[in-house]
Amino acid sequence: LSASPVEALTVFDFANLLFAGPCNRACPFCIGKELPARVNRSNLEQFPPLGIEALISVVNQHAIPEVVFTGTTSDPQLYRFEGELLELLRGRLHPRARLSVHTNGARTLDRLEVFNRYDRACLSIPSFCPDIYEAMMGSRKVPDLAAILAKTTVPVKVSAVVNEHNASDIEAFVAECRELGVRRLVLRRLFGDSTRWPILERHSPVRWHRNNPVFDLGGMEVTRWDFADATSRSVNLFADGTLGTEYLLARTPELRPRGPATHVR
């Protein structure tokens, strides 16, 4: 992970701090199902997480601009020491590093004080219809996005996986997001899904981000994201302390069976 000072500014777009363990949702497309069991060991009660020193070192060495609290089999807001870890990283990372969270939003209203300590947030909500939401998230309890937006003080982006359950409802979903005041929305096609869902076909992109089209719909920025097309690069700290260097987690070379895994502590 060495680089020259110039390269250090462009090697990685962001770093993921991954949490694993029991979850408050049961997504059938959970990324954790594609990963070795050893990296899905629960770290929800562990402080600090295994490998945090190595992650801090890499983020500082490469001037990585953002560290994202996210998960493989669990939600980062289920992490018992969420606030403590935020405080630790604020004191150890380079001054330009932003801290963000990618959460399903199920605990956001209960943890507003901690949530508002991030620099920005992304909420995974694929639909406002309880039936569709249940098919995609394993629960009928759709987070109250209107209340979240009204009570949070950080920029909130909404992320929606698109599949056979919600593809026909996307136009209505996009309209409701705009009505609620969402400023940024990402519509994500699952990696490996070859279906070309009819999403925003009547609109023309205003720009491209990481090889994916970005649209302006009445002042709301909407990105149509395809993982296979994305040119992002990330470093990822798994729950067992493995430090991976592949944006597509399931293709992480450090997780391949040949040879021992790379563990950092």
Side-chain angles (χ1 to χ4, degrees):
L1 296 175
S2 62
S4 70
V6 174
E7 292 172 331
L9 298 176
T10 58
V11 170
F12 298 109
D13 303 307
F14 56 92
N16 282 320
L17 211 171
L18 301 164
F19 294 94
C23 194
N24 48 16
R25 292 296 182 265
C27 308
F29 45 79
C30 178
I31 185 63
K33 296 178 180 180
E34 300 181 33
L35 301 174
R38 70 178 186 275
V39 302
N40 287 329
R41 57 178 290 178
S42 179
N43 62 346
L44 298 179
E45 300 288 329
Q46 187 162 21
F47 182 81
L50 291 176
I52 195 65
E53 291 296 329
L55 182 69
I56 290 171
S57 177
V58 170
V59 170
N60 288 338
Q61 177 186 357
H62 295 279
I64 298 175
E66 184 168 14
V67 175
V68 184
F69 284 46
T70 183
T72 54
T73 60
S74 189
D75 187 86
Q77 291 212 280
L78 289 171
Y79 179 53
R80 181 178 176 183
F81 303 100
E82 186 182 9
E84 290 87 341
L85 186 54
L86 278 169
E87 183 177 355
L88 184 154
L89 293 177
R90 289 287 185 202
R92 298 285 306 282
L93 296 179
H94 65 87
R96 295 179 304 281
R98 294 176 302 192
L99 297 177
S100 65
V101 63
H102 194 151
T103 172
N104 57 37
R107 298 197 70 196
T108 298
L109 290 175
D110 295 328
R111 298 184 59 80
L112 278 173
E113 190 277 327
V114 173
F115 187 84
N116 284 327
R117 293 192 215 170
Y118 290 98
D119 295 304
R120 59 182 184 174
C122 181
L123 301 183
S124 291
I125 303 176
S127 177
F128 299 118
C129 171
D131 290 338
I132 297 175
Y133 186 85
E134 181 179 28
M136 299 183 71
M137 303 289 284
S139 169
R140 294 184 62 80
K141 297 180 180 179
V142 183
D144 188 342
L145 182 59
I148 292 174
L149 293 176
K151 296 181 179 181
T152 55
T153 58
V154 298
V156 174
K157 176 175 68 177
V158 173
S159 173
V161 165
V162 179
N163 65 11
E164 68 276 13
H165 297 295
N166 67 341
S168 62
D169 185 57
I170 285 298
E171 291 289 341
F173 176 76
V174 169
E176 187 163 355
C177 283
R178 187 169 57 236
E179 180 77 15
L180 289 173
V182 173
R183 302 300 299 273
R184 297 179 64 209
L185 171 65
V186 180
L187 304 175
R188 304 178 187 269
R189 188 157 67 103
L190 289 169
F191 181 68
D193 181 3
S194 60
T195 308
R196 288 290 175 181
W197 304 107
I199 301 172
L200 305 178
E201 292 185 327
R202 296 181 290 104
H203 303 274
S204 299
V206 294
R207 63 183 180 88
W208 294 76
H209 176 67
R210 301 296 177 190
N211 210 32
N212 283 277
V214 181
F215 306 83
D216 183 344
L217 302 184
M220 180 173 68
E221 178 185 285
V222 183
T223 303
R224 191 174 64 202
W225 192 264
D226 190 328
F227 287 94
D229 293 337
T231 57
S232 295
R233 297 192 63 189
S234 67
V235 59
N236 315 295
L237 180 63
F238 291 88
D240 73 331
T242 298
L243 197 62
T245 55
E246 168 59 49
Y247 171 63
L248 299 173
L249 298 187
R251 293 189 174 181
T252 301
E254 292 83 359
L255 301 184
R256 290 172 186 163
R258 65 173 189 272
T262 300
H263 292 273
V264 289
R265 298 182 187 276

